[in-house]
Amino acid sequence: MIQRLLVPILSGLGLMDILTTFIGIENGYAEQNVFLHTFQGNPFLFVLVMAGLKVVAIIGSAFLIKRSVLLPSLVLIGLFALADISNILTLI
């Protein structure tokens, strides 16, 4: 049961992280990740790279979920949620 919920939760939190990070950058905040910071000058490329990284993480988690390994997906949910909360609190 919980296995069917993990991928949609990861997808939603990943999308929210991309949107809140993009909005923060558009409002003048700097990306703290050194790798992503290099793409900050080009918003389209930034969103494309960030989305690609999220997709790879979600696909890897889905593969592990099919093998009944849930802990990495739960940790990733926690990390995505922490990033979302941090971004939202920064924007407030």
Side-chain angles (χ1 to χ4, degrees):
M1 173 69 179
I2 192 170
Q3 295 170 335
R4 286 202 254 160
L5 295 174
L6 290 178
V7 173
I9 291 171
L10 280 171
S11 301
L13 288 173
L15 179 63
M16 197 163 133
D17 183 31
I18 293 170
L19 291 175
T20 56
T21 303
F22 180 73
I23 291 169
I25 288 174
E26 290 296 311
N27 288 334
Y29 294 102
E31 173 61 44
Q32 294 176 356
N33 183 312
V34 177
F35 174 70
L36 290 175
H37 181 73
T38 60
F39 300 107
Q40 193 167 332
N42 186 349
F44 177 74
L45 187 59
F46 176 81
V47 170
L48 189 66
V49 168
M50 196 167 177
L53 292 171
K54 299 287 181 192
V55 165
V56 168
I58 292 170
I59 288 173
S61 292
F63 177 74
L64 290 174
I65 289 169
K66 287 190 181 217
R67 294 185 176 265
S68 297
V69 180
L70 300 180
L71 184 61
S73 298
L74 295 174
V75 170
L76 194 59
I77 285 174
L79 290 173
F80 281 5
L82 184 65
D84 291 340
I85 290 169
S86 173
N87 289 344
I88 290 170
L89 290 177
T90 301
L91 293 174
I92 291 180

